[in-house]
Amino acid sequence: MDSRRAPRTVSDPKVRKVGFFTAPPDRSLSSPPDHRVFSFLTSPPPVVDNSSPSAGNSLSPVMIPPPRHSSANLSPLRRDSAEYFPLLLPPPPQPRSPIMWRRRRWGGVLLLLRVACREEKGGGVAVEMQNDQSTRSKSLKEKTTKAERRALQEAQRAAKAAAKAEGGTTPAAASGAAASNDSATVAASEKKGGDRPPEKDRKKEVPQPRMQYDDKSRVEKAKRRAVVKQTEARNRVELFRHLPQYERGTQLPELESKLFELDPMHPAVYKVGLQYLSGDICGGNARCIAMLQAFQEAIKDYSTPPEKTLARDLTAKIGSYVSFLIECRPLSISMGNAIRFLKNRIAKLPLSLSEMEAKTNLHSDIDRFINEKIILADKVIVKHAVTKISDGDVLLTYGSSSAVEMVLLHAHELGKQFRVVVVDSRPKLEGQLLLRRLVGKGINCTYTHINAISYIMHEVTRVFLGASSVLSNGTVYSRVGTACVAMVAHSFHVPVLVCCEAYKFHERVQLDSICSNELGDPDVISKVRGREDINFLDGSSNSAILQLLNLIYDATPSDYVSMIITDYGMVPPTSVPVIVREYRREHLLI
Amino acid sequence: MPESATIPHTTSSGGDSEGKSKSADKSSRTRRLKHDIIEAVNELIQDITTCHEQIAEQAIEHIHQNEVILTLGSSKTVLEFLYAAKEKRRSFRVFVAEGAPRYQGHLLAKELVARGLQTTLITDSAVFAIISRVNMVIVGAHAVMANGGVIAPVGLNMVALAAQKHAVPFVVLAGSHKLCPLYPHNPEVLLNELRSPSELLDFGEFSDCLDFGSGTGSPLLHVVNPAFDYVPPKLVSLFITDTGGHNPSYMYRLIADYYSADDLVISFVYYILGSLGVTMEEVVDWQMEILAQCMEECQPLFYAGREAGLLIGKNEKEREAKNGHFCDCDEAVV
């Protein structure tokens, strides 16, 4: 054991340290296979932690396991870095001390290099690295400085391009070489709040502001590139001038007529866009899966045009598909995260792969994302959540969330005796669909509307809610009305549990529901389905002083939420930024 | 009192002139009584029809310039209130929540638009989202209880909680005829009405779920559609009545103007009994006893409360007689 190495922190598994420990300087440059010091737990040593973070057999559900390091299954990046630094990252069986010593020596250089590898700004750095496989450490040092300079330049160019096009984009998309292509994709609003860490300051990862629709010049630019012609709604609510408000009725027929004319658009993507527009696909997970599967089809049919690299061209194409989907319906946060993952995977494709191999890789990556992040995550969430349901419980849920539905059905299968209160609201009336499915399975249900929650809350023992996303300040961003339910539950001292997959977390922060939201079709407010006697507003819908507001989302403050159930365990809302930060890199590397 | 109308002949046995004056007296008393009652009822009708104006006169004190007002459902008082402010050239805009399941908010929005007020119609679920940008919540009431609580159309408790969280004043407009001497005990259930489920669910679509098909013989699906909500007094910032603006803690004094002291005390007694966990049957039994005694002794009901052991009465002798019965309740003070 190297005497210079800092002593390992407490190894008693019963002692749980919560919070950040700052690493001693030599360990802060840990490369992936080694133990990351930013850990929240001290129990089992991380090399054991090859299993997925969600299979917490040795860990209780509430603890956040340290980020996982799979030295066993090497991802392409790790394979590459092993190639690049044969001396510095020997395979695990070797004793640790040589690594530590070398890492300490190369200090800041290694950090930069690793960051440069990850946030690839074009193929230049990778090529450099490949050529240097066999060099000793000294010459590597020289090369890295050159590479470092090159990487810096790329980053600056990228920063300029992105600043010009003011979109929140991923690093790959903003790469300098593809700037002209990308400005088209960047101009459309991608509400991903993409973080582009500048080279040296990993700390300053402030998400770029999203496209704001009150800036006329930018709206004009976006319109020129739009596939779907949108007419702006006539009675725009002033408070929401920064969000897009379009006339809804005209888009679908027009898009349908254009079906055979759209050369650049892949039919699968077109189909998904139409499904979004008409509201056939609804719900964060469903939309994300549909989009990813459409992208799989598009990638399968893709062929690289001559004189273009696969990575850049494919990224540009994906970007154009995404802007089309945004025109159909603004992206949900889960979709934004998935797109970022995909672009990252494309950017990391080694140049040595043939087109066929690259496409197969991407296909399997997408499959793995869907499987691990959505399907398996849901299974883990269900496993945790059913422990919170006991016999005799009265559970309240709002709207229709896929995760909550799975929890309730599973608990019912396990034989627990409980009944469910389904709260619903206009205009979507999603609760009725959930109600039908629950009653079909034999669960005792009560149905009511959101105004009656004060009446029904006396009987309720727990509230289960779904989320479209959880933001970094603990705010739950979810279907409009969720905040009301959580607030009333809080005032009656009923615990509120939010079920949300971890891929939906986002580093953005939001204080209220006005800053960022989605505006739906205002006409559905004035017409009440099934109640023809309520058509008071028929004649006056075109009046200038009457406005109809149809919000889709709202932001629930974190103090109303007792616990968030994710595939990383059951955590309080304050742990969300921790998960976002610690697992963001891990997410993308899977 | 009702006997006086039927007595005249029997009491005129002694002294004819006396008897006649007595009967004349009694009939004139009856006439005066009828007259008084009819006058009182007319006054009440007058109150109800003019309360809107008197409340609306106070609008300019509360609505200034560039205000944003939120309301839910529809209330004629609120409508008049907002008109009055508009007439005095105050600029404001109104967010109207539609108020499921009756959707009265649509009506209110239409009328406000007809009078030229900038209106935005929102769904009830968006109340929390919008309320951070609202200056004031103004609503009507179905009834105002003696403790300052409000029986209001369903959904208003949610709005009141949201307003409290965002420190937005929650103003209730209520004519004085809406005051009620009752103190609410379990008002969500006891002072509520449940309406038809067809307003929420279409029977045709869900008829299979409403079967009495499960093993226990009860349907799997219950639909709950309450008509009213109870808003506790701590969530209400201000009551505006035709007599002016008041704090919720003051409302019990106003009740004394409209109800006699007997009704007031009895209702308070019921409130205390209710909080002590006494059931209605026991109260009714006691009431029967008390009533019988009162008929005999012609004592006012005020002392009947004492008989129930809650009030400290004047007559020590009677209290001693009842000593063994409710002595432990003597400490309770009105």
Side-chain angles (χ1 to χ4, degrees), chain A residues 237-240 398 425-427 429 432-433 435-436 438-456 458 480-485 487-488 491-492 512-515 517 525-529 531 534-537 540 543-551 553-557 559-560, chain B residues 72 93 95 98-107 109-110 112-130 132-133 154-159 161-163 165 186 188-189 192 194 198-202 204-209 216 218-226 228-230:
Chain A
V237 182
E238 272 306 299
L239 200 51
F240 291 95
Y398 175 70
S425 82
R426 279 195 76 229
L429 291 176
Q432 290 188 356
L433 304 167
L435 181 70
R436 189 169 274 291
L438 291 179
V439 172
K441 289 286 166 78
I443 301 179
N444 210 326
C445 292
T446 304
Y447 178 78
T448 182
H449 63 100
I450 194 170
N451 279 341
I453 42 178
S454 309
Y455 175 84
I456 204 82
H458 292 285
V480 69
T482 311
C484 290
V485 173
M487 170 185 69
V488 175
S491 72
F492 282 84
D512 59 22
S513 321
I514 316 274
C515 308
N517 211 317
I525 303 254
S526 57
K527 294 185 199 51
V528 181
R529 189 182 64 101
R531 302 277 300 278
I534 316 258
N535 285 335
F536 304 126
L537 290 177
S540 41
S543 162
I545 51 176
L546 174 67
Q547 290 155 352
L548 302 167
L549 181 61
N550 184 4
L551 286 178
Y553 293 111
D554 74 7
T556 308
D559 28 344
Y560 291 151
Chain B
L72 187 140
R93 39 198 316 255
F95 280 94
E98 58 183 7
R102 295 180 69 198
Y103 302 106
Q104 301 272 328
H106 292 237
L107 255 177
K110 186 173 182 180
L112 288 174
V113 164
R115 289 283 191 114
L117 275 171
Q118 177 86 299
T119 317
T120 307
L121 184 65
I122 62 174
T123 52
D124 310 308
S125 39
V127 161
F128 191 91
I130 283 291
S132 55
R133 299 295 192 272
V154 73
L156 279 172
N157 189 28
M158 181 176 81
V159 177
L161 284 169
K165 156 89 179 174
N186 201 3
E188 289 85 357
V189 177
N192 213 334
L194 291 179
S198 61
E199 291 176 352
L200 296 184
L201 276 189
D202 189 21
E205 280 176 30
F206 280 86
S207 52
D208 50 341
C209 305
T216 56
S218 63
L220 286 177
L221 177 60
H222 297 266
V223 179
V224 174
N225 187 4
F228 295 116
D229 235 354
Y230 172 68

Side-chain angles (χ1 to χ4, degrees), chain A residues 371-400:
Chain A
N371 206 28
E372 286 180 14
K373 295 295 179 188
I374 305 181
I375 300 180
L376 281 182
D378 277 340
K379 291 208 172 92
V380 175
I381 289 177
V382 165
K383 190 172 70 117
H384 286 319
V386 291
T387 59
K388 292 296 175 192
I389 301 178
S390 26
D391 284 344
D393 263 347
V394 180
L395 308 175
L396 184 137
T397 182
Y398 175 70
S400 163

